[in-house]
Amino acid sequence: MSTSAGQTGTVLTVEDFSVDYLGETTVRAVRHVDLSLGRGEILGLAGESGCGKSTLAYGLTRLLKPPAVISSGRAVFHSREGYDIDLGALHGEDLRAFRWDKISMVFQGAMNSLNPVISIRAQLEDIFSTHRPELSRAERRQRCGDLLERVGVDRDRLRSYPHELSGGMRQRVMIAMAMALEPQVMIMDEPTTALDVVVQREILLEITRLRDELGFAVVFITHDLPLLLEISDRIAVMRAGEITELGSAAQVYSQPEHPYTEQLLASFPSLTGQRGDFIRAGLDERLLDLDPVRVADVDGGASR
Amino acid sequence: MSTLEVRGLVKNYHLKQGWRGRRLVAVNDVSFTLEPGRTVALVGQSGSGKSTVAKLLLQLERSSAGEILLDGSPVARRGRGLAQYRRTVQMVFQDPFASLNPYHSIAHHLARPLRLHGHGRTAAELEEGVHRLLERVRLTPADVVARRRPHELSGGQRQRVAIARALAPGPGILIADEPVSMLDVSIRLGVLNLLAELQREENLGVLYITHDLATARHFSDEILVMYRGEIVERGPSDQVILDPQHDYTKLLLQAAPNPEKRLATLRSDR
Amino acid sequence: MALSPKLAVGLTLCGGIALFGLLGPLFVGDPQRVDNIGLQPPGNGHLLGTTQTGQDVFAQLAYATRGSLLIGVVVGLLAVILAAGFGIIGAYIGGWVDEGFSLFSNVMLVLPGLPLMIVISSYVQNKGIWLVAGVLALTSWAGGARVLRAVTLSLRSRDYISASRVAGEKTWRILLVELLPNLVPLLAAMFVFAVIGAILGEAGLAFIGLGAGGSWTWGTMLFWAGNGLALRLGALWWFLPPGLLITVFGAGLAMINFSIDEIINPKLRDQTRRARRRWSASKRQIAATEEATR
């Protein structure tokens, strides 16, 4: 608790973080990632499938299961109250409590992980009775209702069962659950990918509004770079387990340094601008060269 | 050279709810025309009925009302007429992981339609046809790719196989149902670009079904916006995107990620 | 694909017994021949001893193995064909055909085999092995049909089936060439399961005296052993061999079935011992790396 970064405005420091998948050949899924997450900041983590962005999220929250192991580095949480916690030093019950309390997560398709036979109220109350046993029954009820209203779902919905809610509403309930204990960091892995654009927009607005209101920091992981450019303060671009570029949203958008960032940006045609007109301007073989047929596999493919 | 005209297409589903049935109108009074060399985008959210339109056009489902006319004559439901229709109207499915049979080789997927539509009988003819198709979608070396199973290719490559399969009968109309939404972002434009090139070479009429307004704008000549089974707005692409009239189109446009809008506000804040 | 130990053991056991049933009867004497050396323990010209009436147990066992396997295979094939016919075709065509087929399967599912057999045996005096096999097949396919129907319903809506229709393939060709190969592992597992069920079912029927008259199976051997008070007389050599063969053959088939399950469901495969053995090496690695990062 000496020189805590808690007061300096950093809530999570990640140093030299690597994750390996052990097996016959070890795969390095995350390689030497250094990151710092400011208090109340929205950090966008962009990358394509298989780039290691989800593995990083699971690694930070220590949800990895073997054969995935953290092979180097550490993640340190700087609490608002002024003490530091090394996430690697937590085990068992401490880790579980820490996860809801200080860092919480919303994953892609999380809405499908609600228990279908238990009402929304019971599932929300469960969090409080586990982590805040000192609360009275009435207080608990009150808080559950408040939570739902906070994410823009009517209080009456407490009585509903998951199947009675739309996908968007269920995802909001999941976000409400993640926020229940007022964590200081929320990690969101493709939280809106399965949803329609209009619903996605509503949820994003809700997340940014709640961030302003409650001051938690968000690590927002998605492949949708334009979306990140819109909501995040800073953006990290990941490729093959490494962070190739890290900068403010404006900087990444207007002056990308790494060619991969440029390539990613170019992959999204502009809605109102001219970028993307080339689609019908004639075949550009370079685009298809990005996805080459691996001929090294020939023998394996042919002999089967 | 073919024109596909859709007039007042309606599709109702009967849902069972206890003893009584309920009627769900999935597609209501949809009309449009696909002409050679032109792309029409059908834009809408999931559940808007746009995929049902594709199924109706491909005769995978029967419409409740309305007409589908190929070059002015109604579509046969079976037999020789249907085979002729299948030769002319082809489809690229959304999910390249599901649209190729995991059990069969790439060659099988391409050789079957070639054979069915009389583009080859002997093994040598079919092999040559398969290689030619693979080269057209730039999957080379073709003999290597032809031997592989779907799971040995990337998602983008599988989708190119699916495009090659759709081209095999030599169609005049191509229906592409969200052809790139399941692919990695960095290869999406490559696949669309290829589709546009093949369209130009074959003078295809294309129906591009998507929820992505940005690619719809750049890829197509005309945009139809679909909402709850009905087409609420239609017009030339740029006009629909840059000057939307219907409230729903406006809502969609507002919801679509648009970094330029935000960066403009960031700059003005400074 | 490498042969897993489970599959290897299963194939060896079943293969050995099948070979015995196939070739054994060619080398043994008449299992019916009565002699005056009753209840001889093994040895002395009778490899497995004799029954109460002096019949050679080994000869009986060889014929019984052939009989039981024949019933198993016939019933297994019939059950799979019936299940595939009603399950796959109904689900693929849909509509009233599906409703009718699944109603029929459900009715067959609740028809109990044993009472049906008792009823039939009270009408038919000379039950042949084919009748027994027929009844066993009729009462055992329905469960499989329901499973196949469910799987076919899910496969039918796959895009690759739609894509074949769009390509202009005929319905029967889609069923046989596009759909069926994806069901082969399931059908194989079903066949194995039906064989076990049939052999056990026949043994049960035969043991209570409702088996096929005049033919040898493991069940009829046990029935005669029971009749001849083999247990009370301590004639282990009489009832143990057929019992043991039923057990071993069942175990072997079960192992084959598990292996097929693992092929269908790769998640299960990861839990097999082979995977675990690879694992114990990497677990040490995990511990080491976790130690290092602490």
Side-chain angles (χ1 to χ4, degrees):
Chain A
M1 239 175 279
S2 49
T3 53
S4 171
Q7 285 90 8
T8 62
T10 305
V11 65
L12 190 69
T13 315
V14 180
E15 290 165 0
D16 190 37
F17 201 80
S18 303
V19 179
D20 290 355
Y21 281 94
L22 300 178
E24 271 149 17
T25 53
T26 298
V27 180
R28 304 221 91 182
V30 176
R31 301 157 192 247
H32 310 292
V33 164
D34 291 295
L35 267 183
S36 68
L37 181 65
R39 204 166 288 287
E41 179 187 35
I42 297 186
L43 174 72
L45 195 54
E48 295 187 80
S49 58
C51 76
K53 55 193 197 304
S54 292
T55 308
L56 177 60
Y58 277 82
L60 291 181
T61 48
R62 297 186 56 82
L63 283 168
L64 291 174
K65 289 198 184 89
V69 295
I70 298 165
S71 55
S72 81
R74 58 190 208 133
V76 181
F77 172 79
H78 314 288
S79 166
R80 196 183 281 147
E81 292 80 18
Y83 54 85
D84 289 358
I85 299 172
D86 184 344
L87 269 66
L90 292 174
H91 289 283
E93 206 49 52
D94 289 345
L95 181 62
R96 223 179 333 247
F98 174 83
R99 247 189 235 136
W100 272 113
D101 221 351
K102 306 285 189 246
I103 293 188
S104 67
M105 296 132 296
V106 180
F107 291 117
Q108 178 179 15
M111 61 229 191
N112 299 325
S113 60
L114 284 168
N115 188 333
V117 296
I118 300 178
S119 71
I120 301 295
R121 184 207 303 279
Q123 300 193 45
L124 281 171
E125 281 192 5
D126 196 43
I127 301 171
F128 289 115
S129 46
T130 315
H131 292 272
R132 299 277 187 276
E134 69 277 7
L135 287 181
S136 73
R137 200 180 150 82
E139 273 180 304
R140 219 160 53 207
R141 294 242 147 144
Q142 180 63 33
R143 283 231 197 161
C144 290
D146 292 349
L147 264 182
L148 276 198
E149 285 189 346
R150 205 187 267 166
V151 292
V153 176
D154 202 83
R155 193 180 279 265
D156 293 342
R157 293 291 188 170
L158 275 178
R159 250 173 281 139
S160 307
Y161 286 82
H163 73 270
E164 297 169 323
L165 306 180
S166 67
M169 287 236 239
R170 273 180 286 155
Q171 194 67 329
R172 282 162 195 252
V173 170
M174 288 310 292
I175 292 172
M177 288 174 91
M179 288 193 323
L181 304 173
E182 309 207 339
Q184 297 173 34
V185 177
M186 282 177 79
I187 294 181
M188 301 191 162
D189 187 3
E190 309 257 9
T192 57
T193 306
L195 303 172
D196 277 340
V197 187
V198 178
V199 183
Q200 164 174 302
R201 170 65 47 173
E202 285 169 16
I203 291 184
L204 290 178
L205 287 174
E206 215 66 64
I207 292 171
T208 39
R209 184 178 66 78
L210 291 166
R211 191 274 306 254
D212 294 343
E213 202 174 291
L214 303 171
F216 52 76
V218 179
V219 179
F220 199 101
I221 301 172
T222 178
H223 66 276
D224 194 344
L225 193 53
L227 187 129
L228 282 186
L229 287 165
E230 248 190 280
I231 62 160
S232 11
D233 302 311
R234 283 189 307 151
I235 290 177
V237 180
M238 243 181 124
R239 186 194 196 184
E242 287 176 67
I243 289 188
T244 56
E245 179 147 5
L246 178 64
S248 73
Q251 201 183 321
V252 168
Y253 184 65
S254 39
Q255 297 131 17
E257 281 170 11
H258 198 277
Y260 179 66
T261 314
E262 281 178 44
Q263 185 195 320
L264 263 190
L265 281 168
S267 304
F268 294 94
S270 157
L271 184 59
T272 48
Q274 295 306 307
R275 198 179 62 223
D277 279 357
F278 69 92
I279 292 182
R280 304 188 71 182
L283 188 67
D284 186 347
E285 300 268 0
R286 284 173 306 170
L287 286 172
L288 293 172
D289 289 343
L290 294 175
D291 187 20
V293 175
R294 278 172 302 146
V295 188
D297 287 350
V298 175
D299 299 330
S303 65
R304 217 165 293 173
Chain B
M1 242 11 113
S2 313
T3 306
L4 189 70
E5 194 182 346
V6 174
R7 278 197 215 142
L9 202 60
V10 177
K11 176 71 184 172
N12 301 319
Y13 287 105
H14 293 278
L15 303 177
K16 270 189 208 166
Q17 276 185 342
W19 291 104
R20 272 176 302 169
R22 193 164 65 88
R23 203 173 64 166
L24 177 92
V25 184
V27 173
N28 193 9
D29 196 18
V30 166
S31 308
F32 57 86
T33 307
L34 297 176
E35 288 162 350
R38 277 174 65 82
T39 307
V40 175
L42 191 59
V43 175
Q45 296 295 285
S46 57
S48 63
K50 56 191 196 311
S51 287
T52 309
V53 171
K55 281 186 196 145
L56 293 173
L57 286 183
L58 288 152
Q59 307 295 316
L60 291 173
E61 298 213 15
R62 209 177 279 243
S63 59
S64 308
E67 287 179 299
I68 299 173
L69 305 171
L70 182 62
D71 294 326
S73 50
V75 176
R77 293 282 336 169
R78 54 181 69 245
R80 194 181 294 259
L82 182 61
Q84 180 60 43
Y85 183 77
R86 296 242 183 269
R87 194 162 304 163
T88 316
V89 182
Q90 275 295 317
M91 163 123 175
V92 177
F93 289 83
Q94 174 176 16
D95 184 354
F97 295 87
S99 70
L100 302 181
N101 193 335
Y103 184 81
H104 291 299
S105 70
I106 300 303
H108 170 93
H109 284 95
L110 301 180
R112 282 305 301 168
L114 282 176
R115 202 192 154 125
L116 279 167
H117 296 286
H119 297 291
R121 291 220 146 258
T122 64
E125 275 171 11
L126 288 173
E127 192 185 341
E128 197 200 315
V130 166
H131 288 183
R132 206 170 41 236
L133 281 170
L134 286 173
E135 272 152 24
R136 293 200 64 191
V137 294
R138 274 74 181 174
L139 282 174
T140 48
D143 55 330
V144 172
V145 178
R147 276 199 303 269
R148 291 198 181 167
R149 296 281 177 89
H151 69 90
E152 293 169 299
L153 299 179
S154 75
Q157 289 161 4
R158 283 185 228 200
Q159 199 59 306
R160 277 144 74 185
V161 171
I163 292 171
R165 170 174 60 187
L167 291 180
I173 302 283
L174 191 65
I175 292 161
D177 187 1
E178 305 254 17
V180 295
S181 71
M182 305 286 277
L183 307 182
D184 253 346
V185 288
S186 67
I187 56 176
R188 285 182 188 175
L189 290 192
V191 171
L192 279 183
N193 187 223
L194 175 70
L195 211 50
E197 173 73 13
L198 296 168
Q199 173 185 22
R200 197 170 24 246
E201 285 171 13
E202 301 269 315
N203 202 19
L204 296 172
V206 174
L207 180 68
Y208 175 55
I209 298 176
T210 184
H211 67 274
D212 181 15
L213 293 163
T215 56
R217 176 182 167 217
H218 293 292
F219 187 61
S220 43
D221 304 295
E222 187 185 351
I223 292 184
L224 313 177
V225 181
M226 203 162 172
Y227 178 58
R228 295 198 174 167
E230 293 183 37
I231 288 175
V232 295
E233 179 158 1
R234 64 168 77 207
S237 298
D238 278 4
Q239 188 190 314
V240 170
I241 300 294
L242 301 176
D243 183 24
Q245 298 301 313
H246 194 273
D247 285 344
Y248 180 70
T249 316
K250 289 180 189 163
L251 183 69
L252 268 186
L253 280 164
Q254 259 161 21
N258 190 352
E260 274 124 11
K261 218 163 41 187
R262 174 177 184 226
L263 293 167
T265 60
L266 272 183
R267 284 197 198 99
S268 62
D269 282 354
R270 261 176 218 160
Chain C
M1 195 193 67
L3 210 63
S4 77
K6 213 181 273 171
L7 188 61
V9 172
L11 283 176
T12 314
L13 290 179
C14 295
I17 292 173
L19 216 62
F20 174 58
L22 218 59
L23 304 177
L26 303 177
F27 300 103
V28 298
D30 181 6
Q32 310 269 26
R33 203 185 65 216
V34 179
D35 212 331
N36 59 356
I37 39 162
L39 277 187
Q40 281 270 316
N44 205 6
H46 297 285
L47 197 59
L48 286 172
T50 60
T51 68
Q52 209 173 22
T53 48
Q55 295 160 320
D56 183 54
V57 173
F58 187 71
Q60 286 192 353
L61 195 65
Y63 279 94
T65 304
R66 176 182 278 184
S68 279
L69 290 186
L70 184 68
I71 285 196
V73 171
V74 167
V75 173
L77 279 178
L78 278 177
V80 167
I81 290 170
L82 283 170
F86 283 97
I88 300 177
I89 294 173
Y92 186 76
I93 293 174
W96 286 107
V97 179
D98 184 32
E99 297 264 345
F101 278 18
S102 76
L103 179 70
F104 185 58
S105 317
N106 288 342
V107 170
M108 291 308 289
L109 193 63
V110 293
L111 264 187
L114 201 62
L116 187 68
M117 195 66 217
I118 295 172
V119 170
I120 290 176
S121 68
S122 64
Y123 283 100
V124 186
Q125 287 310 311
N126 284 321
K127 295 184 298 294
I129 200 163
W130 299 104
L131 181 73
V132 176
V135 171
L136 282 171
L138 269 183
T139 52
S140 63
W141 61 270
R146 283 181 60 115
V147 173
L148 283 173
R149 175 172 180 266
V151 177
T152 308
L153 279 180
S154 108
L155 285 180
R156 186 178 73 139
S157 57
R158 296 282 160 89
D159 281 350
Y160 62 80
I161 300 294
S162 301
S164 302
R165 286 174 68 193
V166 170
E169 295 276 14
K170 298 247 186 320
T171 303
W172 64 267
R173 216 194 132 90
I174 293 177
L175 271 174
L176 288 181
V177 180
E178 305 291 332
L179 197 74
L180 207 58
N182 290 295
L183 289 170
V184 161
L186 188 62
L187 289 171
M190 234 168 233
F191 173 73
V192 170
F193 195 68
V195 171
I196 302 179
I199 289 176
L200 290 179
E202 192 279 335
L205 285 174
F207 186 70
I208 58 171
L210 297 174
S215 66
W216 286 106
T217 66
W218 291 330
T220 48
M221 267 188 89
L222 287 172
F223 170 70
W224 290 117
N227 253 5
L229 304 175
L231 192 61
R232 202 177 304 167
L233 298 171
L236 286 177
W237 60 88
W238 192 358
F239 63 83
L240 216 53
L244 212 60
L245 281 192
I246 291 180
T247 318
V248 171
F249 194 72
L253 283 181
M255 280 188 212
I256 295 175
N257 208 354
F258 290 150
S259 314
I260 296 173
D261 269 352
E262 283 165 10
I263 295 166
I264 303 175
N265 186 350
K267 231 183 204 169
L268 282 174
R269 186 165 42 205
D270 292 342
Q271 291 164 4
T272 59
R273 198 173 301 152
R274 197 153 49 94
R276 260 187 246 124
R277 206 182 300 140
R278 189 173 350 118
W279 254 84
S280 59
S282 57
K283 245 181 212 155
R284 254 173 274 135
Q285 272 176 285
I286 294 168
T289 39
E290 287 204 330
E291 206 58 48
T293 49
R294 209 158 283 155

